[in-house]
Amino acid sequence: MKRYVYINDDELSHNLYCDNRISNRKYTILNFLPKNLWEQFSRFMNQYFLLIACLQLWPLITPVNPASTWGPLILIFAVSATKEAWDDYNRYLSDKKANEKEVWVVKDGIKKHIQAQDVHVGNIVWLRENDEVPCDLVLLGTSDPQGLCYIETSALDGETDLKTRVIPSACMGMDFELLHKMKGVIECPCPDRDIRRFDANLRLFPPFIDNDLCPLTINNTTLQSCYLRNTEWACGVSVYTGNETKLGMSRGVPEPKLTAVDAMIDKLTGAIFVFQIVVVVVLGIAGNVWKDMESRKQWYVQYPIEGPWYELLVIPLRFELLCSIMIPISIKVSLDLVKSLYAKFIDWDEEMVDLETGTPARAANTAISEDLGQVEYILTDKTGTLTENKMIFKRCCIGGIFYGNENGDALKDSELLNSVTCGSPDVMRFLTVMAVCNTITPIKSKNGSISYKGQSQDEEALVRAAAQMHVSFINKSTNILEINFNGIMVQYEVLDILEFTSDRKRMSIVLKDCKDGKILLLSKGADESILPLALTGQQTRSFAEAVEHYAQQGLRTLCLAWRELEEDEYIEWSLIFKEANSSLVDREWKVAEVCQRLEKNFEILGVAAIEDRLQDGVPETIETLRKAGINFWMLTGDKQNTAIQIALSCNFVSPEPKGQLLLINGKTEDEVCRSLERVLLTMRITNSEPRDVAFVIDGWALEITLKHYRKAFTELAILSRTAICCRVTPSQKAQLVELLKTCEYRTLAIGDGGNDVRMIQQADIGVGISGREGLQAARAADYSIGKFRFLKRLILVHGRYSYNRTAFLSQYSFYKSLLICFIQILFSFVSGVSGTSLFNSVSLMAYNVFYTSIPVAVNVLDKDLSEKTVMQHPQILFYCQAGRLLNPSTFAGWFGRSLFHAIVVFVITLHAYASERSEMEEVSMVALSGCIWLQAFVVAIETNSFTTLQHLAVWGNLVGFYVINWIVSAIPSSGMYTIMFRLCRQPSYWISIGLIVGAGMGPVLALKYLRYTYRPSKINVLQQAERLGGPILSLGSIVEAPQGRVANEKDMTPLSIITSQAKNNRNPVYEPLLSDSPNATRRSLGSGTPFEFFQTSQSRLSSSYSRNCKDN
């Protein structure tokens, strides 16, 4: 589909295209209520609670007042709706501000002021310096004589460097006054979200130009939300407006990510629902049997002889309503609220602020913080993520001669400097390519100094280095480049630019020497894209050796080449190139094909080597996270040797002989197949520890592997903890993330550039680094940080704490609901299995909303270990990765605890108050008081670090319970008149409460003491050491090394969680904190020892693979 935009004639497109009104709102005043309710009731749990609430409106079956369910339900819906309304209102205010900005447009040849929302497709928009671009424009004119303007795109892609834009060649030299009267048509594609591509054609109507077709690219546009900088004025025609701009098309709500904790909660909810149905059916049948056999014998039960057809359903439905609180109605809202707080803790963490740039950590996704504590694989980019992305030209090889090897800096190499002084032809050509084959813009300051701005850090490094060697790129005006050669000014006319693409892996420029008229083709790129194009007969072996030599030192390499073109050859080629550039369909592919016709028979000039230093703290961060059991994959577009050297320097792999690198290479299916089989065989039989074995694969072999040998490669991915993938494309990065996710591993992807966005969005958790390549990755990510080293704190501190707190909160929510429900079930056995409620409606509603929510709300501050201890002993992250705090086994512990506490409360209450003198309300209040006291102590013993706020919440909640009930008891119409006053005066009440607390908490405390004393987990050991203030026990004091393995110094960490193998090949390291779970194992790691990198057995590898790998 195409769009035709008529310049300066918006009437033709007024009804075809939208205006420039921006709307990011999700709702309107009219549709808010129905739309929001529809969204809320699209969730199964909300549908379930609505059904329960509606059933309670039937007086015949409801055992309690409908307000006990409708009240919390309305409150929860109101909280969610209020949050949605507030967010939408803020979006409305933002839209309103943008829509009402005033802009200049040309109407009937006159400039007029209108609001931005009134701009239409076809209008000519006039911009002044520092103005924000209101819509997507195609430039028609600027104040610069050469048709240039500078824009800031930070709001669009996060890149702060100014970018150069130029008016189309058809508009060059057009008089200022004629711009108001310009007429023409732009043929462009329909709106899309690709901010780096715009393939269109411009045709001006006479008398401006005689219908000549002019191709347009993204360099001829200024997009919405960019700012005009360092340019007095610019004007352009609007082609995309409103929500159809490229920025507007990019907006949208990303797909929600389901955390492992959420998935487990869903499974547990389903199990409780099944249990509830079973209970309802059993009690319903028992109730009907009792009614038919016993109830009619009782004089006080007045059942009619003949009942309606639905009589058999009444008692089961009563029990359904009575047991509906098994599933806590508030769990979703409670988890959403605390997860928002977890995200705020990350935002507020001053220790994660990059002091160099002042960049804080930011949590864009508030729903997945606990997943940070369960990460098993980290897939990381290299450049700008592990390294600083501050490129420095270090060495070079020109004409087979190496420069900079002795002192490590070619710019200080006397031999190279002498060659520059003498004007060596090879050296000067090499420096010329460095200086002009780029997209850099030189910017001259007021004091005469020149700085260079561009999108590529590599290009900036090359241009700066050339300038230091007296080949200075000093000016760029339209198509003329000015170079200063040792004080001699040389001008080149730019004829064509063959832009860099990830497929071609090179960039070329066609120049014409203004002095002698020679036409030159200069090119630079990766060695595999330049060296094969060398002139027949030229020896390239020395250059290949130079590339290999520099890569082994961890340097980035670029090969530089050139050739002289015949004028006839260029003219013939340029016609084909112009035609390809004018295509609206497959323009990129057609241009690449035409470029290949010219980029051949190169004279290879040399190799430039650029250093990109590691960021501070990268090796330490990777080493710490590897101790935590996290596997690392490096995905980079760099050469294999460069990536390997970086991997060695940042502790990805150990150097030989301890470490082992297995290479997968080949250009054909057979070669890759043999290589893959060899590596797989080696991995299966190797005597090296799995954590020290890594495989290395390049993009070509990876493409073949993923297409033809995916299953084998998946097995290899499971066997190896470390992988180095070189020369990979953005799509391949995303495919690798998806492959690990199919094996049910929790993945985290981290990167800093636009080429990492797909990988970041594909992973379970995406982390972006606010780096020199802009904020594209940071904006697409769930979390953004300033430096890679902050990843350690993000995972070990925030991720672990979030998981621990969420695990407790979710299970406690079920516990408190099951407790009250079990008491109701037990009461049914002494009330004729009739489905009668022991508690009144007000008490039930207050129990769910107030009495049990406040103490647990402050659990978001709980810390089982100090941050310092957690960072010193990363191995304890294993408990989170294995899901040791939230699984069916731990949930069974909470389930059993709730049943036990219900029996204690019911039995003691019944024996103390079930006499003819006691009122129903008294029995109910004693039982409710026992529940509140028990839960206060449960929260207290499960809290690891008490603060003043937590003490106030737990014990203040008890005081609040009595204060509220004293007030209610003072109201005659409350149904509880004088109840609490009478109970508090009775010694039997306080004795009952004491017995309930003692009998309920005694066994729990005894079990905790026995386990803490005789079978402590490693976390218990650390907690004890913190309390005593003594040193942490050494490895030898805690555990015994596995047989058949000799512990080395690196393994002797302060707290190793290695243990000898237990019976049935289970590892007792998985000591649960809340309940015993001997049979649970780490997900996706097979039936062997969960932490496979501490075991030498080979059998678990194949079983792990067969059980967890999905056949793709």
Side-chain angles (χ1 to χ4, degrees):
M1 295 293 291
K2 300 178 182 178
R3 165 177 290 198
Y4 292 93
V5 177
Y6 293 91
I7 301 173
N8 215 358
D9 192 354
D10 62 341
E11 296 299 328
L12 292 174
S13 55
H14 193 285
N15 297 323
L16 294 176
Y17 312 122
C18 67
D19 59 20
N20 200 38
R21 183 180 288 104
I22 298 171
S23 178
N24 294 306
R25 296 174 61 188
K26 189 176 179 181
Y27 308 100
T28 65
I29 295 177
L30 295 178
N31 72 10
F32 173 76
L33 192 59
K35 189 174 182 179
N36 184 260
L37 288 176
W38 175 264
E39 290 176 351
Q40 300 233 39
F41 286 120
S42 63
R43 303 168 187 161
F44 169 75
M45 288 182 65
N46 288 345
Q47 295 173 9
Y48 169 76
F49 289 125
L50 179 64
L51 175 63
I52 296 298
C54 290
L55 286 175
Q56 286 188 344
L57 297 176
W58 188 4
L60 183 63
I61 66 171
T62 180
V64 294
N65 192 305
S68 62
T69 299
W70 280 102
L73 187 65
I74 292 173
L75 178 63
I76 289 169
F77 282 0
V79 170
S80 297
T82 302
K83 180 179 180 295
E84 286 287 326
W86 177 253
D87 291 343
D88 207 51
Y89 179 68
N90 286 328
R91 287 192 288 267
Y92 163 73
L93 292 179
S94 177
D95 292 345
K96 186 173 183 290
K97 182 178 179 181
N99 288 331
E100 294 181 353
K101 280 186 178 179
E102 292 194 338
V103 297
W104 289 98
V105 299
V106 175
K107 292 274 191 178
D108 301 324
I110 303 173
K111 282 198 295 183
K112 295 181 179 179
H113 241 157
I114 64 171
Q115 290 187 343
Q117 62 186 355
D118 296 325
V119 175
H120 288 86
V121 171
N123 285 156
I124 293 180
V125 179
W126 213 272
L127 302 173
R128 294 175 298 181
E129 186 174 3
N130 298 324
D131 277 354
E132 182 181 3
V133 182
C135 56
D136 291 352
L137 306 175
V138 169
L139 286 172
L140 299 177
T142 73
S143 58
D144 185 83
Q146 308 300 326
L148 298 176
C149 72
Y150 301 95
I151 60 169
E152 178 187 310
T153 61
S154 57
L156 188 67
D157 57 17
E159 297 179 9
T160 55
D161 290 336
L162 297 183
K163 296 183 175 62
T164 305
R165 293 292 185 261
V166 61
I167 65 176
S169 57
C171 301
M172 287 290 183
M174 192 168 294
D175 188 77
F176 173 83
E177 297 297 331
L178 292 179
L179 293 175
H180 294 74
K181 305 174 183 179
M182 182 179 292
K183 295 287 185 178
V185 63
I186 295 175
E187 183 187 15
C188 59
C190 287
D192 60 58
R193 64 181 64 189
D194 190 349
I195 63 173
R196 301 188 180 277
R197 185 172 179 178
F198 179 73
D199 298 336
N201 292 318
L202 166 67
R203 191 187 300 273
L204 295 181
F205 295 156
F208 299 95
I209 196 169
D210 192 14
N211 280 334
D212 192 17
L213 197 66
C214 175
L216 303 176
T217 68
I218 195 68
N219 291 326
N220 304 122
T221 67
T222 57
L223 303 183
Q224 185 186 44
S225 294
C226 297
Y227 286 85
L228 186 68
R229 304 294 191 198
N230 299 343
T231 307
E232 185 179 346
W233 61 265
C235 70
V237 58
S238 57
V239 289
Y240 303 130
T241 53
N243 288 342
E244 292 184 346
T245 63
K246 289 185 177 291
L247 181 63
M249 297 290 288
S250 300
R251 295 189 186 102
V253 180
E255 288 293 323
K257 295 182 177 180
L258 182 68
T259 67
V261 169
D262 288 336
M264 179 57 66
I265 291 174
D266 289 344
K267 293 178 183 177
L268 297 177
T269 302
I272 290 294
F273 180 72
V274 172
F275 173 74
Q276 174 188 322
I277 296 299
V278 173
V279 169
V280 168
V281 171
V282 172
L283 292 179
I285 294 173
N288 280 313
V289 170
W290 188 90
K291 182 185 70 172
D292 292 337
M293 298 181 62
E294 299 292 333
S295 66
R296 302 188 192 281
K297 301 176 183 179
Q298 309 298 328
W299 62 269
Y300 55 84
V301 179
Q302 299 180 1
Y303 276 114
I305 298 176
E306 290 284 337
W309 63 269
Y310 52 79
E311 183 180 9
L312 290 177
L313 297 176
V314 171
I315 292 178
L317 288 176
R318 281 182 181 174
F319 277 109
E320 173 61 32
L321 297 179
L322 206 63
C323 296
S324 63
I325 60 174
M326 279 189 181
I327 301 175
I329 192 172
S330 61
I331 187 171
K332 180 69 171 62
V333 172
S334 299
L335 289 177
D336 286 346
L337 290 176
V338 297
K339 287 180 180 183
S340 296
L341 279 175
Y342 301 156
K344 284 299 179 184
F345 290 157
I346 295 174
D347 294 343
W348 296 334
D349 193 342
E350 294 183 357
E351 293 189 35
M352 293 178 64
V353 176
D354 182 10
L355 299 179
E356 182 181 344
T357 61
T359 304
R362 183 181 63 89
N365 191 334
T366 61
I368 61 172
S369 295
E370 65 271 21
D371 247 9
L372 286 167
Q374 297 193 279
V375 170
E376 295 165 291
Y377 275 82
I378 293 178
L379 298 96
T380 175
D381 178 41
K382 181 184 77 69
T383 304
T385 303
L386 301 177
T387 62
E388 294 182 343
N389 202 17
K390 295 180 179 178
M391 308 300 179
I392 302 175
F393 177 82
K394 279 294 183 182
R395 305 183 185 187
C396 62
C397 172
I398 305 175
I401 301 174
F402 287 79
Y403 298 101
N405 280 356
E406 294 182 1
N407 55 14
D409 189 353
L411 298 178
K412 298 178 181 179
D413 191 305
S414 58
E415 186 177 352
L416 178 60
L417 295 177
N418 289 335
S419 298
V420 173
T421 303
C422 298
S424 169
D426 289 343
V427 172
M428 298 311 293
R429 282 198 294 265
F430 184 86
L431 295 179
T432 300
V433 177
M434 285 176 56
V436 300
C437 186
N438 52 61
T439 57
I440 296 294
T441 300
I443 299 177
K444 186 175 293 187
S445 64
K446 295 180 180 179
N447 60 11
S449 62
I450 297 175
S451 60
Y452 300 104
K453 295 293 182 181
Q455 300 179 39
S456 168
Q457 303 296 327
D458 291 312
E459 290 183 344
E460 286 188 32
L462 293 178
V463 174
R464 284 195 301 267
Q468 292 183 48
M469 288 185 283
H470 311 294
V471 181
S472 304
F473 181 18
I474 62 173
N475 190 31
K476 183 178 186 179
S477 57
T478 316
N479 295 331
I480 302 299
L481 308 180
E482 295 184 6
I483 310 297
N484 187 333
F485 284 93
N486 278 326
I488 301 174
M489 299 299 297
V490 178
Q491 290 186 338
Y492 293 101
E493 180 185 354
V494 179
L495 301 180
D496 285 299
I497 295 178
L498 286 59
E499 296 182 352
F500 174 88
T501 65
S502 57
D503 294 328
R504 291 173 57 245
K505 296 182 180 179
R506 60 182 175 269
M507 179 259 185
S508 302
I509 185 171
V510 181
L511 302 176
K512 182 177 182 180
D513 192 327
C514 294
K515 183 177 180 181
D516 56 22
K518 291 183 179 179
I519 299 177
L520 308 172
L521 173 65
L522 314 183
S523 187
K524 72 175 190 307
D527 55 292
E528 72 266 27
S529 68
I530 295 291
L531 297 184
L533 304 179
L535 183 67
T536 303
Q538 183 180 9
Q539 294 295 322
T540 60
R541 182 177 178 180
S542 62
F543 300 115
E545 291 175 351
V547 169
E548 184 76 14
H549 174 70
Y550 293 142
Q552 288 178 357
Q553 299 174 35
L555 300 176
R556 296 163 60 88
T557 57
L558 285 172
C559 291
L560 279 60
W562 86 341
R563 81 178 179 100
E564 187 174 338
L565 302 178
E566 296 294 333
E567 187 172 355
D568 293 341
E569 178 188 9
Y570 168 71
I571 292 175
E572 180 183 353
W573 174 86
S574 65
L575 294 175
I576 305 174
F577 184 66
K578 184 177 181 180
E579 181 181 349
N581 256 326
S582 303
S583 174
L584 295 183
V585 180
D586 296 330
R587 177 183 291 188
E588 186 174 343
W589 178 82
K590 292 178 180 178
V591 168
E593 186 181 27
V594 173
C595 290
Q596 288 183 351
R597 299 187 182 187
L598 196 67
E599 293 172 323
K600 59 184 180 180
N601 298 328
F602 279 127
E603 178 186 348
I604 310 299
L605 299 176
V607 179
I610 300 170
E611 181 185 56
D612 186 12
R613 287 190 288 249
L614 283 178
Q615 293 181 19
D616 292 337
V618 166
E620 295 80 6
T621 298
I622 292 177
E623 182 179 9
T624 300
L625 293 178
R626 285 174 61 82
K627 287 180 181 177
I630 297 176
N631 307 323
F632 275 87
W633 283 27
M634 179 195 291
L635 315 180
T636 177
D638 268 349
K639 277 186 60 63
Q640 187 177 95
N641 284 332
T642 302
I644 290 174
Q645 293 305 316
I646 294 295
L648 290 171
S649 64
C650 63
N651 291 332
F652 254 69
V653 290
S654 302
E656 293 183 349
K658 191 175 186 301
Q660 186 176 5
L661 287 176
L662 306 175
L663 304 182
I664 302 174
N665 46 39
K667 298 296 184 181
T668 65
E669 290 184 29
D670 290 339
E671 291 176 355
V672 172
C673 181
R674 287 194 297 270
S675 181
L676 183 60
E677 288 177 349
R678 183 177 65 253
V679 170
L680 267 174
L681 181 63
T682 305
M683 288 291 292
R684 290 170 181 150
I685 65 175
T686 181
N687 291 323
S688 300
E689 298 175 4
R691 62 175 174 178
D692 291 325
V693 177
F695 71 86
V696 184
I697 188 170
D698 64 18
W700 188 275
L702 180 63
E703 183 177 354
I704 295 174
T705 301
L706 291 177
K707 185 175 181 180
H708 300 286
Y709 310 107
R710 190 180 184 90
K711 186 174 180 179
F713 184 73
T714 304
E715 180 184 359
L716 178 63
I718 293 175
L719 296 179
S720 176
R721 290 191 63 205
T722 306
I724 303 171
C725 305
C726 318
R727 300 295 198 195
V728 292
T729 63
S731 61
Q732 287 177 326
K733 292 182 179 182
Q735 289 178 50
L736 290 172
V737 173
E738 179 62 27
L739 183 138
L740 290 173
K741 288 175 67 178
T742 60
C743 296
E744 298 182 5
Y745 289 117
R746 307 307 290 183
T747 58
L748 181 150
I750 180 169
D752 74 316
N755 60 335
D756 302 318
V757 169
R758 291 182 63 181
M759 170 181 73
I760 286 172
Q761 292 178 332
Q762 184 66 49
D764 294 305
I765 304 169
V767 179
I769 292 183
S770 304
R772 294 171 63 85
E773 290 190 20
L775 299 176
Q776 276 184 282
R779 288 180 172 176
D782 302 302
Y783 301 91
S784 65
I785 54 179
K787 290 287 189 292
F788 183 85
R789 66 176 183 271
F790 297 135
L791 189 63
K792 177 170 64 174
R793 182 172 176 84
L794 184 67
I795 292 176
L796 297 181
V797 175
H798 292 286
R800 185 177 175 277
Y801 284 159
S802 297
Y803 172 78
N804 289 354
R805 294 160 179 169
T806 303
F808 170 74
L809 174 60
S810 55
Q811 293 177 115
Y812 173 83
S813 297
F814 280 104
Y815 159 78
K816 69 183 181 70
S817 296
L818 288 168
L819 172 61
I820 207 77
C821 187
F822 282 141
I823 293 175
Q824 297 273 52
I825 293 172
L826 292 172
F827 179 70
S828 69
F829 291 112
V830 298
S831 60
V833 201
S834 60
T836 304
S837 175
L838 173 62
F839 304 101
N840 62 54
S841 304
V842 176
S843 296
L844 283 176
M845 186 165 58
Y847 175 85
N848 280 317
V849 177
F850 301 111
Y851 300 151
T852 57
S853 297
I854 296 176
V856 76
V858 295
N859 178 258
V860 296
L861 302 175
D862 188 39
K863 297 180 180 180
D864 60 337
L865 295 168
S866 68
E867 295 178 4
K868 180 180 178 182
T869 301
V870 170
M871 297 288 273
Q872 288 177 343
H873 303 283
Q875 300 94 332
I876 58 176
L877 189 69
F878 293 150
Y879 288 91
C880 300
Q881 293 170 323
R884 299 305 302 143
L885 301 189
L886 177 62
N887 55 54
S889 185
T890 58
F891 184 76
W894 282 97
F895 185 92
R897 183 185 295 187
S898 64
L899 179 59
F900 170 66
H901 284 171
I903 294 173
V904 168
V905 170
F906 182 73
V907 170
I908 293 176
T909 300
L910 198 66
H911 281 77
Y913 280 86
S915 63
E916 294 182 1
R917 295 175 300 168
S918 300
E919 297 180 18
M920 183 76 164
E921 286 77 8
E922 288 184 341
V923 178
S924 171
M925 186 54 65
V926 174
L928 186 65
S929 301
C931 292
I932 300 301
W933 276 89
L934 279 177
Q935 287 175 75
F937 278 94
V938 166
V939 173
I941 67 171
E942 297 295 344
T943 300
N944 297 285
S945 58
F946 267 108
T947 62
T948 303
L949 183 60
Q950 286 167 305
H951 277 296
L952 286 174
V954 174
W955 311 118
N957 184 70
L958 274 176
V959 175
F961 167 75
Y962 285 100
V963 171
I964 291 173
N965 281 282
W966 284 334
I967 294 173
V968 174
S969 296
I971 303 173
S973 60
S974 65
M976 297 175 55
Y977 189 53
T978 72
I979 293 294
M980 188 55 78
F981 297 123
R982 279 183 284 159
L983 286 176
C984 290
R985 286 197 298 266
Q986 297 173 7
S988 59
Y989 171 77
W990 297 107
I991 293 173
S992 299
I993 295 299
L995 289 174
I996 289 171
V997 173
M1001 298 307 301
V1004 175
L1005 290 171
L1007 286 174
K1008 278 189 168 289
Y1009 174 77
L1010 291 173
R1011 200 175 69 212
Y1012 187 85
T1013 304
Y1014 298 106
R1015 198 185 169 193
S1017 69
K1018 300 304 176 281
I1019 294 177
N1020 297 146
V1021 174
L1022 292 173
Q1023 288 172 331
Q1024 185 179 17
E1026 282 190 344
R1027 294 190 183 102
L1028 297 177
I1032 306 298
L1033 297 177
S1034 65
L1035 174 66
S1037 306
I1038 296 178
V1039 295
E1040 180 180 349
Q1043 295 181 359
R1045 176 184 166 191
V1046 179
N1048 54 41
E1049 288 185 9
K1050 187 169 183 179
D1051 296 327
M1052 301 294 286
T1053 52
L1055 180 69
S1056 176
I1057 307 186
I1058 307 171
T1059 62
S1060 55
Q1061 294 185 7
K1063 190 177 181 181
N1064 296 328
N1065 205 28
R1066 296 290 182 183
N1067 195 329
V1069 65
Y1070 286 119
E1071 178 68 33
L1073 301 186
L1074 297 179
S1075 69
D1076 291 329
S1077 311
N1079 296 324
T1081 57
R1082 180 179 180 178
R1083 176 174 50 77
S1084 301
L1085 295 180
S1087 59
T1089 301
F1091 307 136
E1092 75 280 15
F1093 40 89
F1094 289 135
Q1095 180 171 327
T1096 58
S1097 172
Q1098 312 301 325
S1099 61
R1100 67 175 175 79
L1101 298 174
S1102 58
S1103 64
S1104 158
Y1105 172 73
S1106 61
R1107 185 170 70 87
N1108 298 295
C1109 176
K1110 298 182 180 177
D1111 189 356
N1112 294 302

